[in-house]
Amino acid sequence: MSDKRRLLVVDDERVMTDFLGDMLSERYDVSTTASLRTARDLMGTRDFDLVITDLQLEKDDSGMSLVDECRERGLPVVVMTAYASVDRAVEAMKRGAVDFLTKPFGGQEMEAVLRTALDGRRSGRRGLAEFSRLQTGPRRLVLGRSEAMRRVMEMVEAVATTRATVMLTGESGTGKEMVAAALHAMSRRAGGPFIKVNCAAITDTLLESTLFGHEKGAFTGAIKRTAGKFELANGGTLLLDEISEMKQELQSKLLRVLQEREFELVGGTTTLPVDVRIVATSNRNIKEEVRKGNFREDLYFRLNVVPVHVPPLRERREDIPDLTAHFIRLSAIENGVPEPQLPPALLAELMRLPWPGNVRQLQNTVERAVVLARGEQLALDDFLLEEEVLRAADAAPSFDQDMTLKEMEKRMILATLSRFRENRTQAARHLGISVRTLRNKLNLYRQQSRSATA
């Protein structure tokens, strides 16, 4: 009797079942089928250690029902999907799949996923609730409890235990790095290194050496062999921050690492294998960068396996109380000063501000206030808020039942103009009016203001 682990492969594309059957049969006892009905019959008559199924079976997503049946049987299942339907794979993870593979994939990637799934390492997964409970200390991750951030973290939790590359997008300062840290901490790689590289902060000539390392004598000043970030992150997670700033020459080398999971040091000839989970971030529209020819399309598809958008702070103001309290406590500890109290009225004022710099701006502003605080309670003056920030807050479109349509229109126009930093063309386009109409409205508001103060 064979002691090989038993796998069931389900895919309605014959070429895929033949490919996987040939590739896996040397190490595993493999059964293949293109039929959902046959798959169910086989599961009823044989004991399998793992099921590998495509989500698109028989021209629909009936592979999802197979995921549900495997969960009920306590049978591990890995799903396969195309790039365009990654969201369905994430849904499968929420319903019990242990991992997913995006087509096309190679033998090494498949083997790594199978090894992890069959070794039963899923027991090491940290769910979001447990992850939050385990966090202690002043530098714990505080991401917010708003509905917007809850959706972000549900996605992160669903894919954390996989090998899938994650692309985090969002404005500068929204907390993409903290989300990446949470992704690492909830993954099976939590015991490994979490290495960060800011692609925008390193010159083009140094970035290659920073990522891949270099041999002694590779260039002037290379006096010894130096390991790069890929080598240092082996077994863990590598965060490539602002990857859209990376030049095309390096993009091609990064693509090779993602495809082959190996690299060479600058000036070296030896190929080094690497097991690294990539998380990339960008505050740009990378699709637009691809269209302009600034970013490789094939690399974009490799990086954008699981896209996660981190919303700006103005779209999740409910997070401001938790974030502010955390930053006050952290700033007091790090600066060696007493922790001041934040009056409710002042918190309400902070929640009204637009925070164009997002969470990073909030943190810096709170730290400044804690350092400058002159009593046991913080005051508005301690924050040294810029005048234009206060004006923008005054222009925020808050409405009440007693307001006239003209008053509501004025607030909306001023808030939109503030959002686009006084750029009338963008504000007019967003409002659906002409620049001329916008200019006339602003002139009217100025005249009304002068009349009111005369």
Side-chain angles (χ1 to χ4, degrees):
M1 182 175 178
S2 173
D3 58 356
K4 292 182 178 180
R5 311 292 285 273
R6 291 181 174 179
L7 308 183
L8 173 61
V9 177
V10 188
D11 197 309
D12 57 5
E13 294 183 8
R14 179 65 179 271
V15 65
M16 180 56 71
T17 55
D18 289 347
F19 165 70
L20 291 177
D22 292 341
M23 181 176 69
L24 299 173
S25 59
E26 185 175 339
R27 296 195 50 166
Y28 303 98
D29 181 357
V30 183
S31 299
T32 64
T33 179
S35 165
L36 183 60
R37 177 179 296 179
T38 303
R40 288 169 173 154
D41 291 341
L42 288 171
M43 289 167 58
T45 57
R46 296 192 63 184
D47 291 327
F48 291 101
D49 295 293
L50 180 73
V51 173
I52 306 168
T53 182
D54 189 72
L55 287 177
Q56 292 291 123
L57 295 177
E58 300 167 3
K59 307 305 180 184
D60 58 34
D61 65 349
S62 56
M64 195 69 77
S65 64
L66 191 58
V67 172
D68 293 336
E69 292 180 33
C70 288
R71 183 191 66 239
E72 293 172 0
R73 294 171 179 264
L75 182 59
V77 57
V78 172
V79 298
M80 300 178 291
T81 186
Y83 283 118
S85 55
V86 168
D87 56 334
R88 298 297 294 154
V90 173
E91 176 65 22
M93 293 283 296
K94 293 179 180 178
R95 289 165 69 163
V98 298
D99 214 332
F100 72 90
L101 289 157
T102 49
K103 298 178 180 178
F105 51 81
Q108 289 184 338
E109 186 175 2
M110 166 64 86
E111 182 57 39
V113 168
L114 295 185
R115 185 169 59 249
T116 299
L118 290 170
D119 284 349
R121 293 175 62 189
R122 186 168 169 79
S123 59
R125 173 180 179 173
R126 293 180 182 176
L128 183 55
E130 183 185 2
F131 165 71
S132 300
R133 182 180 63 81
L134 290 175
Q135 287 196 89
T136 58
R139 298 204 66 84
R140 70 189 188 279
L141 295 174
V142 175
L143 300 165
R145 295 181 288 182
S146 64
E147 178 65 21
M149 285 307 295
R150 187 187 65 79
R151 290 194 296 267
V152 168
M153 294 311 297
E154 281 184 350
M155 175 76 82
V156 167
E157 182 183 12
V159 303
T161 58
T162 73
R163 294 170 57 89
T165 302
V166 176
M167 172 66 81
L168 299 172
T169 58
E171 297 176 7
S172 293
T174 50
K176 297 187 291 295
E177 184 176 317
M178 289 192 290
V179 173
L183 178 68
H184 172 73
M186 285 191 284
S187 73
R188 301 186 184 104
R189 299 171 178 268
F194 177 56
I195 304 294
K196 297 172 282 187
V197 180
N198 188 333
C199 300
I202 303 174
T203 62
D204 299 336
T205 54
L206 288 179
L207 185 55
E208 181 178 10
S209 175
T210 299
L211 289 174
F212 304 114
H214 61 261
E215 293 285 3
K216 179 180 179 181
F219 49 82
T220 302
I223 59 175
K224 63 177 182 179
R225 182 193 185 279
T226 301
K229 300 300 185 182
F230 269 100
E231 190 172 353
L232 295 173
N234 196 39
T237 302
L238 178 60
L239 171 63
L240 298 178
D241 200 14
E242 302 304 344
I243 196 168
S244 51
E245 305 301 316
M246 183 181 289
K247 298 301 181 184
Q248 291 229 8
E249 295 78 6
L250 268 182
Q251 291 176 25
S252 60
K253 294 187 177 183
L254 175 60
L255 178 63
R256 186 201 165 198
V257 179
L258 292 173
Q259 291 175 331
E260 307 297 333
R261 300 190 180 276
E262 60 184 24
F263 68 98
E264 291 92 30
L265 276 72
V266 175
T269 56
T270 304
T271 299
L272 303 177
V274 66
D275 176 22
V276 170
R277 204 266 185 77
I278 298 293
V279 179
T281 80
S282 177
N283 60 6
R284 295 192 184 190
N285 184 332
I286 298 195
K287 284 186 178 180
E288 182 64 18
E289 295 301 307
V290 170
R291 189 190 67 78
K292 293 178 180 177
N294 297 330
F295 203 84
R296 293 180 59 114
E297 185 176 36
D298 47 4
L299 177 58
Y300 167 71
F301 286 129
R302 277 286 178 181
L303 291 171
N304 201 50
V305 174
V306 181
V308 178
H309 180 71
V310 183
L313 191 56
R314 63 179 175 273
E315 294 179 6
R316 48 186 178 102
R317 295 179 186 273
E318 315 95 290
D319 293 335
I320 291 178
D322 283 345
L323 291 170
T324 302
H326 171 65
F327 293 145
I328 289 174
R329 188 174 305 112
L330 179 62
S331 299
I333 292 173
E334 293 190 340
N335 289 284
V337 298
E339 181 180 332
Q341 299 301 308
L342 182 68
L346 183 50
L347 175 60
E349 182 70 18
L350 296 180
M351 293 183 69
R352 200 169 65 90
L353 297 176
W355 301 113
N358 295 296
V359 178
R360 184 182 297 123
Q361 182 187 15
L362 175 64
Q363 180 174 7
N364 294 339
T365 303
V366 168
E367 181 174 10
R368 182 169 60 213
V370 170
V371 171
L372 296 177
R374 289 158 290 184
E376 295 182 356
Q377 284 196 337
L378 291 172
L380 183 61
D381 291 345
D382 296 329
F383 287 85
L384 297 182
L385 294 169
E386 299 173 355
E387 185 180 351
E388 56 266 28
V389 173
L390 295 172
R391 284 204 309 268
D394 290 336
S398 55
F399 308 116
D400 58 59
Q401 292 180 342
D402 297 328
M403 232 179 242
T404 67
L405 285 175
K406 287 186 177 181
E407 288 173 326
M408 295 175 70
E409 177 190 72
K410 177 180 177 180
R411 292 205 180 189
M412 180 61 72
I413 287 175
L414 293 177
T416 304
L417 195 61
S418 172
R419 174 182 175 185
F420 289 101
R421 302 187 179 186
E422 308 302 319
N423 186 313
R424 296 186 179 186
T425 301
Q426 293 183 6
R429 184 182 301 118
H430 182 79
L431 290 165
I433 60 178
S434 68
V435 176
R436 181 179 180 181
T437 299
L438 176 59
R439 183 173 63 249
N440 291 339
K441 293 284 186 183
L442 294 175
N443 289 335
L444 175 62
Y445 301 153
R446 276 194 291 270
Q447 292 172 7
Q448 291 173 343
S449 178
R450 284 195 293 267
S451 299
T453 58

